Amino acid sequence: MHVLLTNDDGYDAPGLRALYEAVSGLAGASIEVIAPSEAQSGKGHVVSDRFRLRAAEAEGIGPLTVVEGSPADCVRAAVGLPGRRRPDWVLSGINRGSNLGIDIYNSGTVAAAREAGFYGIPAIALSQYTRGGAPVEWLRSTRTAAAVIAAIIMPDAPCPPHAPPRDHALIAEALRRSPPAMSRGWWNVNLPIPDGDQPTRGAMLTRISRDPYHLDYRVLREADGSESCENVASYHDRPAAPGTDVAAVFEGWISISPLKWCDESAF
């Protein structure tokens, strides 16, 4: 099984290292990493007909390919460049910050998974919810992501040694309730922030919220007479309807959303 890893935070981001560590424990997985040269967060599904690429190394990962372009360009490089092995799975992340609800339309992390879907390659976008200025516990993210990835990619295999058995069992149970057509599909996964040393509440199969994001613009007048606008609305004031990915993550659950549950324009 050949797995492509990419992200939208740049090739040297800690979330990409965490994802690499999560996947490295999967039996029989060969890993290729193609990632953007710099952060592409919030740039959505941008693609390029021409981009530069180079070989590089990243701490905790080793050799990889750097693309001066978008996450979707990275997937295109894996699929279209001569001499490359076509991925069996594409994993994108782990993004620093959640990608919930309508975030999936402007998320570079999710765009990479969507681009894989265009070529019939199953994919998972993974994001780590953050709150305030608190640092991300990447070791915990790695272990939780390992449980999610193993349960989705290898549903009949036992829990990998570097994943929490409890999380793996709860995720596997949630996935058993998923539509059969999604058994090799495209997923958007968001990891919560448990309180202190407490484990996650579990895993929940969720629908992607379609509620619009709250807007509260502050308008500032510049010295040249122009105006600049900044949305100062709190991310946590967004609607969190029961059963949605937003509600699940805000309440401490691992949210697993089949992207096919979006309206058709999402895929």
Side-chain angles (χ1 to χ4, degrees):
M1 177 177 61
H2 187 55
V3 181
L4 171 71
L5 306 187
T6 191
N7 73 345
D8 78 351
D9 288 331
Y11 76 96
D12 56 351
L16 185 60
R17 290 195 295 272
L19 181 60
Y20 184 88
E21 292 172 12
V23 178
S24 62
L26 293 180
S30 64
I31 304 173
E32 180 180 14
V33 181
I34 305 179
S37 59
E38 58 187 23
Q40 299 287 315
S41 182
K43 295 188 177 179
H45 206 123
V46 173
V47 294
S48 311
D49 288 330
R50 182 174 181 173
F51 49 79
R52 295 167 60 92
L53 72 164
R54 57 183 169 86
E57 289 202 12
E59 180 182 357
I61 296 175
L64 50 77
T65 300
V66 172
V67 168
E68 294 183 7
S70 69
D73 288 335
C74 295
V75 175
R76 288 186 166 198
V79 174
L81 285 174
R84 300 273 178 170
R85 180 179 172 184
R86 182 182 174 91
D88 298 304
W89 279 87
V90 171
L91 306 181
S92 180
I94 300 171
N95 189 68
R96 190 187 189 286
S98 56
N99 280 301
L100 299 166
I102 60 172
D103 300 348
I104 67 170
Y105 291 95
N106 50 39
S107 165
T109 304
V110 179
R114 187 186 301 115
E115 185 69 26
F118 292 158
Y119 294 96
I121 302 170
I124 309 171
L126 299 105
S127 302
Q128 174 60 65
Y129 172 59
T130 58
R131 187 166 48 215
V136 176
E137 296 184 27
W138 287 114
L139 179 58
R140 170 178 274 178
S141 302
T142 296
R143 289 171 53 79
T144 307
V148 174
I149 293 165
I152 292 176
I153 292 181
M154 299 178 171
D156 299 322
C159 176
H162 61 316
R166 173 185 174 275
D167 283 353
H168 184 266
L170 293 172
I171 294 161
E173 175 59 29
L175 290 171
R176 277 192 283 272
R177 298 192 295 271
S178 68
M182 290 306 303
S183 60
R184 280 186 59 81
W186 300 272
W187 305 86
N188 188 43
V189 173
N190 282 272
L191 310 179
I193 304 176
D195 292 329
D197 294 329
Q198 297 299 311
T200 61
R201 294 185 64 181
M204 186 180 295
L205 202 68
T206 60
R207 59 184 174 84
I208 293 173
S209 172
R210 300 184 186 181
D211 290 317
Y213 189 69
H214 181 53
L215 299 177
D216 182 12
Y217 279 108
R218 178 174 59 188
V219 180
L220 301 174
R221 184 168 296 278
E222 304 293 346
D224 62 359
S226 64
E227 294 180 337
S228 61
C229 306
E230 179 185 9
N231 184 22
V232 295
S234 169
Y235 186 86
H236 303 91
D237 287 342
R238 65 191 302 174
T244 63
D245 54 349
V246 177
V249 171
F250 282 10
E251 294 170 6
W253 296 81
I254 300 167
S255 170
I256 305 175
S257 303
L259 287 171
K260 284 289 189 180
W261 287 5
C262 306
D263 64 71
E264 289 300 319
S265 66
F267 234 83

